[in-house]
């Protein structure tokens, strides 16, 4: 059921080189094509709309669930997934979407993911976006992610898009209850005429909640990027956003910080920087024997790792 | 052997074109240690950058083993065996110490080799290899990583620009040993830009740079003796009021 292109996409977005261990659901061109539940992680299709419910039993440890989506034709796919991460569990969720668009039609995936990270649970969520294909049809990805982290829970998000997506609008909303923790790592590379927008809104509503967001991006050619990172503190909490972009060629990057405190013990920091590669960095690597192009690649690769 | 023949360098600043180096003639032989010293702003870093190819002469020539390399790029010179440890090394977001050492050594740097390099500059590999060379490093740590990145390479001409700057006494001791040891194992020209007596004493020759020119080439003994005479001669020390210019 999986051809070579599918396999390549799966490797790119979910590091999958064979059928994964543990629970998984593979969605191709708008349909679930392979699925497996395990004793602790149940995957059931929704009955009212396209998508699945992923239910992780309380106390499940060291298990993973892979739910990659692949599109290999110019079509539009809309999916709603709901995750119930049971109290005290510790799991890895690998999502991601790969598009191979060979033709002239637009290929578009809009995913709405909703997570409930229950008391004391720990979830690591990895989402990679990848596009390829020589056709003129655009490759578009618009993920919407909503996460509620209950008391003492931990959500760690890794959101990566390094190639081949023409347009993306990523909207992420997170609410943090008492003692919960959020760590977000975002990596974005755009080139050609690509456009990317990332909106992350974090509400720290519980005492001693904390959020750390590290976003790094590189904008090449004529691409455009817009970041709108927003922290709101309603309790005794700590939040830190670090937003760093390297701009090249004719690209445009906007980074709009917003921090709001509604409590005297909310401590929020926003750092944002945009700039080209520092010439001293290039010079240093060239004095070690790299060509200018190799030096540039080494700097960008390190930056986005 | 490296030669600078009548090298002039100019730079642009706010006031227009300024002369940075004015007719440098210098011959650096193999298997010798040179220490370049002189007042701040004298032109030491500019000479180093001209040898590395970062600055291009407006006049004059640079020769390596008799071959003219004046038109060669930084990368080409690096591949010919010229290396320069920056006075102010850059920081890199995302590049780790081990990545930099690997690039420096041409990718064939195993863990053991990297540990040895860091040991030679007084750093413990366990604490440093995995760290990003970012703003979390102190000035002295950054300098030592920079020095290690040069020690990683096989070079014909190695130039260290004020390697002691910002480095604590204990690491400085280690650094002196490392430079002294280089004399034994190193088949090339070593140039150290420094103001430290203990580094000056390592030199076969001291090169005094002042006002964009080489004002003197001498031995460490002679050079240090002269410096002592200059301080001893200064009579203003006892009777001038703090901050006032001496009339001695
Ligand atoms: N790129 C440059 N632009 C303008 N002025 C420069 C530049 N490089 C060097 N200079 C000037 O040349 C002089 C010598 O500088 P430098 O070689 O750094 O001195 P040193 O290393 O001996 O302290 C200084 O006056 C400095 O300001
Ligand atoms: Mg200098």
């Amino acid at each position: 059921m999986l051809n070579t292109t599918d396999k390549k996409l799966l490797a790119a977005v979910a590091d999958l080189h064979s059928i994964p261990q543990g629970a998984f659901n593979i969605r191709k061109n708008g349909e679930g094509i392979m699925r497996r539940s395990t004793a602790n992680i149940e995957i059931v299709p929704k009955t009212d709309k396209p998508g699945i419910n992923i239910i992780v039993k309380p106390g499940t440890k060291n298990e993973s669930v892979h739910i990659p989506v692949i599109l290999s034709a110019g079509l539009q796919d809309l999916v709603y997934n709901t995750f119930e991460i049971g109290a005290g569990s510790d799991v890895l969720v690998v999502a991601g979407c790969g598009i191979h668009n060979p033709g002239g039609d637009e290929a578009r995936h809009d995913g709405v993911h909703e997570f409930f990270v229950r008391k004391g649970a720990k979830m690591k969520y990895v989402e990679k976006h990848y596009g390829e294909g020589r056709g003129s049809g655009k490759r578009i990805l618009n993920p919407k992610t909503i996460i509620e982290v209950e008391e003492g829970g931990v959500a760690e998000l890794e959101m990566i898009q390094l190639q081949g997506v023409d347009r993306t609008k990523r909207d992420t909303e997170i609410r943090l209850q008492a003692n919960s923790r959020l760590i977000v790592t975002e990596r974005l590379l755009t080139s050609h005429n690509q456009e990317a927008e990332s909106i992350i809104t974090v509400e720290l509503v519980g005492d001693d909640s904390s959020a750390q967001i590290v976003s790094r991006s590189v904008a090449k050619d004529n691409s455009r990027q817009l970041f709108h990172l927003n922290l709101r503190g309603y309790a005794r909490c700590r939040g830190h956003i670090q937003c760093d972009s390297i701009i090249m060629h004719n690209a445009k990057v906007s980074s709009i910080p917003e921090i709001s405190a509604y409590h005297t013990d909310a401590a929020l920091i926003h750092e944002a920087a945009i700039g080209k590669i520092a010439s001293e960095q290039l010079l240093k690597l060239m004095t070690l024997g790299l060509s200018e192009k190799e030096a540039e690649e080494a700097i960008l690769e390190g930056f986005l790792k | 052997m490296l030669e600078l023949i009548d090298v002039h360098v100019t730079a642009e600043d706010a006031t227009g074109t300024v002369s940075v180096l004015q007719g440098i003639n210098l011959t650096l032989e193999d298997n010798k240690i040179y220490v370049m010293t002189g007042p701040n702003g004298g032109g030491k870093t500019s000479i180093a950058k001209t040898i590395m190819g970062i600055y291009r002469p407006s006049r004059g020539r640079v020769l390596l083993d008799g071959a003219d390399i004046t038109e060669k790029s930084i990368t080409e010179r690096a591949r010919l065996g010229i290396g320069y440890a920056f006075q102010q090394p850059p920081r890199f977001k995302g590049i780790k110490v081990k990545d930099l050492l690997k690039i420096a050594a041409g990718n064939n740097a195993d863990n053991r080799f990297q540990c040895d390099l860091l040991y030679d500059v007084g750093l413990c590999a366990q604490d440093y290899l995995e760290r990003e060379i970012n703003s979390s490093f102190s000035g002295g740590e950054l300098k030592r990583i920079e020095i290690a990145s040069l020690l990683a390479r096989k070079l014909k001409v190695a130039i260290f620009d004020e390697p002691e700057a910002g480095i604590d006494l204990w690491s400085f001791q280690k650094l002196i040993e490392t430079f002294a040891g280089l004399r034994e194992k190193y088949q090339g020209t070593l140039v150290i830009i420094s103001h430290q007596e203990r580094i000056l004493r390592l030199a076969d020759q001291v090169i005094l740079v002042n006002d964009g020119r080489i004002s003197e080439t001498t031995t460490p003994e002679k050079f240090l003796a002269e410096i002592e005479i200059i301080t001893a001669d200064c009579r203003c020390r006892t009777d001038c009021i703090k901050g006032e210019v001496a009339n001695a």
Side-chain angles (χ1 to χ4, degrees):
Chain A
M1 234 188 302
L2 293 173
N3 61 34
T4 344
T5 305
D6 298 343
K7 286 180 182 160
K8 188 172 167 218
L9 292 176
L10 287 172
V13 299
D15 260 332
L16 288 182
H17 300 280
S18 58
I19 297 301
Q21 299 285 312
F24 69 89
N25 184 81
I26 299 173
R27 182 178 176 89
K28 179 182 170 184
N29 295 335
E31 283 172 59
I33 55 164
M34 293 169 95
R35 174 179 310 134
R36 178 169 71 209
S37 295
T38 62
N40 294 321
I41 303 179
E42 195 186 0
I43 303 179
V44 279
K46 284 189 193 293
T47 49
D48 55 338
K49 50 191 171 189
I52 47 180
N53 292 329
I54 295 108
I55 301 144
V56 176
K57 271 194 195 160
T60 302
K61 298 276 184 199
N62 300 322
E63 289 197 32
S64 64
V65 50
H66 285 75
I67 51 153
V69 171
I70 53 182
L71 286 183
S72 58
L75 53 84
Q76 317 226 337
D77 184 24
L78 172 65
V79 65
Y80 298 87
N81 295 332
T82 307
F83 298 75
E84 166 76 30
I85 311 293
S89 58
D90 182 349
V91 291
L92 168 70
V93 178
V94 181
C97 180
I99 301 179
H100 176 86
N101 191 353
D105 294 331
E106 187 175 286
R108 169 170 169 172
H109 175 71
D110 292 357
V112 180
H113 287 190
E114 197 173 7
F115 296 84
F116 297 93
V117 179
R118 299 300 183 195
K119 281 187 182 166
K122 192 173 171 211
M123 170 186 74
K124 178 165 178 177
Y125 176 68
V126 180
E127 183 187 87
K128 280 190 198 158
H129 286 166
Y130 169 83
E132 59 170 41
R134 294 187 174 278
S136 60
K138 297 267 181 274
R139 298 170 294 252
I140 301 172
L141 284 164
N142 294 326
K144 165 119 189 158
T145 308
I146 302 164
I147 306 178
E148 174 88 21
V149 188
E150 291 187 354
E151 220 177 300
V154 178
E156 192 180 337
L157 277 55
E158 247 179 61
M159 308 194 288
I160 300 156
Q161 177 185 312
L162 297 179
Q163 191 188 324
V165 178
D166 293 299
R167 230 169 49 225
T168 188
K169 184 171 175 183
R170 182 194 286 286
D171 193 353
T172 310
E173 286 172 20
I174 301 143
R175 252 166 72 92
L176 298 169
Q177 303 289 357
N179 270 313
S180 66
R181 196 148 63 93
L182 170 73
I183 301 149
V184 179
T185 310
E186 183 173 47
R187 295 287 182 265
L188 182 65
L189 174 86
T190 54
S191 60
H192 305 93
N193 291 306
Q194 295 166 1
E195 288 175 27
E197 190 177 334
S198 176
I199 303 167
I200 302 180
T201 304
V202 180
E203 293 187 319
L204 297 119
V205 298
D207 277 343
D208 299 317
S209 55
S210 72
Q212 189 190 5
I213 300 170
V214 180
S215 169
R216 282 186 182 172
S217 77
V218 176
K220 292 183 175 178
D221 307 326
N222 290 307
S223 65
R224 285 156 182 262
Q225 299 181 356
L226 172 68
F227 295 91
H228 194 150
L229 307 188
N230 191 346
L231 279 182
R232 297 185 182 148
Y234 296 93
R236 184 174 68 217
C237 62
R238 280 179 299 125
H240 190 172
I241 298 174
Q242 254 178 297
C243 204
D244 241 305
S245 303
I246 291 179
I247 183 166
M248 302 170 73
H249 315 123
N250 295 309
K252 292 195 177 63
V253 180
S254 306
S255 186
I256 305 167
E258 191 174 333
I259 47 181
S260 317
Y262 304 91
H263 192 286
T264 49
D265 290 322
L268 308 173
I269 301 172
H270 186 291
E271 295 174 84
I274 304 173
K276 61 179 182 198
I277 298 178
S279 60
E280 302 81 59
Q281 294 181 347
L282 288 170
L283 285 177
K284 170 65 197 170
L285 298 188
M286 285 155 72
T287 66
L288 296 178
L290 300 192
S291 67
E292 186 168 356
K293 194 160 176 293
E294 289 165 342
E296 188 179 292
E297 281 163 8
I299 291 164
L300 295 184
E301 191 195 311
F303 185 71
L304 290 172
K305 206 152 42 188
Chain B
M1 189 166 78
L2 190 118
E3 292 160 276
L4 299 183
I5 302 168
D6 191 31
V7 165
H8 292 249
V9 169
T10 57
E12 301 298 323
D13 72 1
T15 61
T17 304
V18 291
S19 175
V20 173
L21 297 179
Q22 325 189 37
I24 301 287
N25 286 294
L26 190 60
T27 301
L28 303 172
E29 288 169 23
D30 293 346
N31 301 315
K32 281 208 169 140
I33 300 184
Y34 296 88
V35 174
M36 218 187 271
T37 194
N40 299 129
K44 303 177 294 299
T45 296
S46 302
I47 292 176
K49 287 186 172 172
T50 306
I51 295 172
M52 191 69 243
I54 299 170
Y55 286 178
R56 290 309 178 88
S58 57
R59 215 172 95 190
R61 291 188 300 149
V62 184
L63 309 183
L64 179 66
D65 294 334
D68 193 325
I69 58 163
T70 318
E71 297 303 319
K72 295 232 184 282
S73 69
I74 300 170
T75 308
E76 287 170 311
R77 293 183 201 207
R79 291 178 184 170
L80 287 171
I82 298 177
Y84 171 58
F86 285 62
Q87 182 173 2
Q88 280 158 333
R91 298 168 197 268
F92 294 90
K93 272 184 187 145
I95 292 187
K96 292 179 177 176
V97 173
K98 64 172 189 190
D99 302 329
L100 190 74
L101 295 179
K102 266 191 201 140
I103 292 172
N107 283 325
N108 44 20
D110 60 14
N111 201 54
R112 179 68 203 277
F113 179 68
Q114 297 181 26
C115 289
D116 287 349
L117 289 171
L118 291 182
Y119 177 82
D120 285 341
V121 295
L123 294 175
C124 173
Q126 238 188 355
D127 300 339
Y128 285 92
L129 281 180
E130 293 292 331
R131 269 178 70 185
E132 271 186 22
I133 310 171
N134 58 28
S135 50
S136 72
F137 276 79
S138 76
E141 289 172 320
L142 196 62
K143 285 292 277 191
R144 286 187 275 163
I145 305 280
E146 179 71 5
I147 295 164
S149 79
L150 228 61
L151 299 178
R153 312 191 61 220
K154 287 198 175 63
L155 294 172
K156 280 188 181 156
V157 180
I159 311 170
F160 296 87
D161 199 343
E162 299 197 23
E164 74 273 9
I167 289 179
D168 62 76
L169 277 177
W170 296 270
S171 312
F172 182 59
Q173 176 65 28
K174 182 77 216 141
L175 215 58
I176 296 280
E177 281 170 28
T178 298
F179 284 133
L182 282 182
R183 178 190 282 286
E184 311 301 314
K185 71 175 184 199
Y186 193 66
Q187 303 292 313
T189 309
L190 195 60
V191 181
I192 310 173
I193 298 174
S194 175
H195 306 293
Q196 284 292 325
E197 180 172 338
R198 291 186 59 199
I199 290 184
L200 281 159
R201 290 201 188 280
L202 294 174
D204 294 301
Q205 260 185 28
V206 173
I207 301 165
L208 186 58
V209 182
N210 192 6
D211 207 14
R213 297 184 179 85
I214 290 173
S215 58
E216 197 184 345
T217 306
T218 179
T219 61
E221 293 72 25
K222 245 187 115 212
F223 177 79
L224 289 163
E226 280 166 19
I227 285 236
E228 271 153 25
I229 290 166
I230 293 169
T231 24
D233 265 1
C234 179
R235 285 176 291 110
C236 70
R237 285 211 149 197
T238 48
D239 52 35
C240 73
I241 301 159
K242 211 173 182 180
E244 243 181 49
V245 180
N247 58 358

